[in-house]
Amino acid sequence: MLVSEGLKLLADGQYGIFHSAFRTELILAAINAGRYDDASTWMAKIDAEDPGGEHWWTPEILRARVHSP
């Protein structure tokens, strides 16, 4: 997937801090498109990378979580 490749390039360039932001937007787009399995997959990746649950993007992650099925 092109997005996954882009996220890897960001991580390689030490911009991985933005992964949650990009993934949250992907979750919302997937929900709007009715692609709930994809939204769940992206949410699981956010949860796996941020096990502490506190992140600078937490309010947006929680907003996406509320909209997910």
Side-chain angles (χ1 to χ4, degrees):
M1 174 180 268
L2 188 58
V3 173
S4 295
E5 292 174 24
L7 291 173
K8 183 180 179 332
L9 289 172
L10 285 172
D12 291 346
Q14 298 183 0
Y15 288 95
I17 191 169
F18 296 108
H19 281 191
S20 294
F22 295 130
R23 286 185 177 139
T24 302
E25 294 304 319
L26 287 170
I27 290 165
L28 294 172
I31 291 168
N32 287 333
R35 296 177 62 173
Y36 303 112
D37 288 340
D38 290 336
S40 294
T41 299
W42 288 111
M43 187 60 75
K45 289 184 180 190
I46 288 175
D47 292 341
E49 286 186 358
D50 191 23
E54 293 296 324
H55 192 273
W56 67 275
W57 195 251
T58 297
E60 294 303 315
I61 294 169
L62 293 174
R63 183 173 63 90
R65 195 178 301 275
V66 168
H67 291 291
S68 56

